[in-house]
Amino acid sequence: MGCGVDRGPARTRGGEGRTRPGRRRRAGPVSYTHLDVYKRQAEKGGPAPGGDAARGPADAAARKRAERRAERVTGGAQELEQRLGDLLRGGLAATDRSGYGLWEETAARMVDAQAPGLAARVRELGAITGSGPGWPVRLLEECGLLHLLDTAWLGRERLPDPLAATVRTRVGLPMSAEGAPVRDHWLVLAQYDTPDGKIVARRIWLYGRESGRTALLLSFGAAGRSPAQALPVGATIDAELTPYPGGGQLRAELGDQFGAMAPAGPPPGIAAAAAPAVYGDALREDPWLDAWPVTLRDVIPVPAKDGWQVADAHADSALPIAPAALSRPGLWKLVALSGGGPVTVFGEIGHRGFDPFAAWEPGETEEGGRTAVGSVVQLV
């Protein structure tokens, strides 16, 4: 059975030079141009020299730089709209004869316009061309999403503030954590590294026991070097997180830590049948989302016609496991952990299915009828 939210067949990821059947990005593409952005952000993070007297001129200069960059991004978005129009008028099938150079040249123009997010999406268009049966349909879908991002940027003044912040993030402008800090007992759900060009991105998923919030910590390292930030999966930390702005934005920045707590088992989960609606709700806040984090309770991994699926142990519903997870050893860990019985699994639900990241061993019944908490097993 399908997941109920269909955004088309497999898409490709140009930055990794391979076809990706179910993209694992998640908070937006991270490329080497993003690393430059974060470096600049860090460089500007300290106090202005000279104290309060120097902050006024420094703030004015920063505003002027931001305005100049916005103008360049606007010029890039307008140029990209023209190129998309030319592409559609010439026919999508003709792009197969143009080769990847057409897309790389367009992406370079977006980098010149200081819009790395647009550049990354253009490169993905080039990787779709000629990628298998039905590729013109996938290309049209991605062109539509890119057109939506272009027009959202050009009309950002008319958007609600959270959506406007999301658009700025998707275009590739630097954003800083600026929300009110949230102190909670945060359960570390999963941690994994994703090589992307010249950098390595580390994603750490957390769940707040009291707030019920899910948060994402992102850190970066040079190729061949692990990012510095690391948290033990399954642990619970008493800490403050500061959220980033944007509709549907889960990214946060780790603040003060006040100690660690004993593991307390998995977060509360939802039924498999409810997961597609959760993803659909998130798409209303951010139409460019590929996936959304969910915890599924009482599911059993079972073989399906075209791969595997996680089936609800108490209902006639199931979610296909995303193709990206089918080749990972974590799938067999999940199957062995389940042993044909229900387990709790954390992962992401997207247009290609469910991608499992971590699972909890079924609890054993102790004397007195209590159920012991099972340990967590990483799947990525």
Side-chain angles (χ1 to χ4, degrees), residues 2 11 85 105 134 157 162 224 306 309 352 374:
R11 294 187 288 175
E105 190 269 337
E157 295 85 0
D306 299 321
Q309 60 185 4
R352 291 293 291 161

Side-chain angles (χ1 to χ4, degrees), residues 10-142:
R11 294 187 288 175
T12 53
R13 182 170 191 143
E16 296 179 11
R18 58 180 177 85
T19 298
R20 60 119 170 87
R23 175 165 60 174
R24 279 184 38 209
R25 90 67 122 263
R26 315 241 196 336
V30 181
S31 66
Y32 68 92
T33 49
H34 285 64
L35 181 60
D36 296 336
V37 168
Y38 289 115
K39 285 180 178 177
R40 289 194 295 270
Q41 182 180 347
E43 289 167 357
K44 294 186 289 184
D52 294 339
R55 287 196 184 102
D59 289 346
R63 282 195 299 271
K64 289 182 179 179
R65 288 194 299 270
E67 290 171 358
R68 288 196 297 268
R69 179 168 186 176
E71 291 174 358
R72 298 190 68 174
V73 173
T74 296
Q78 291 171 339
E79 178 182 347
L80 186 54
E81 280 295 282
Q82 294 175 355
R83 294 189 177 218
L84 288 175
D86 294 341
L87 177 68
L88 293 176
R89 281 189 293 270
L92 294 179
T95 60
D96 194 19
R97 299 190 295 270
S98 303
Y100 192 75
L102 168 68
W103 306 104
E104 189 57 40
E105 190 269 337
T106 304
R109 295 287 295 166
M110 296 305 103
V111 172
D112 292 342
Q114 295 184 291
L118 295 181
R121 288 186 172 272
V122 168
R123 290 191 177 99
E124 289 185 359
L125 296 183
I128 293 173
T129 302
S131 59
W135 68 262
V137 175
R138 298 195 294 275
L139 182 60
L140 180 60
E141 291 172 347
E142 292 301 317

Side-chain angles (χ1 to χ4, degrees), residues 7 26 47 62 85 107 118 131 146 177 195 209-210 218 271 273 276 297-298 308 311 315 329 348 366 370:
R7 279 178 54 186
R26 315 241 196 336
L118 295 181
S131 59
L146 186 53
R209 290 288 185 184
E210 281 75 34
L218 267 177
R297 68 168 186 267
D298 295 337
W308 284 78
E348 289 186 339
E366 300 176 335
R370 294 179 303 175

Side-chain angles (χ1 to χ4, degrees), residues 41 44 55 60 85-86 105 108 136 144 164 169 191 194 210 212 220 223 230 243 255 267 277 288-289 323 377:
Q41 182 180 347
K44 294 186 289 184
R55 287 196 184 102
D86 294 341
E105 190 269 337
T169 300
Q191 173 178 294
T194 305
E210 281 75 34
F220 304 89
W288 302 279
L289 274 176
V377 176

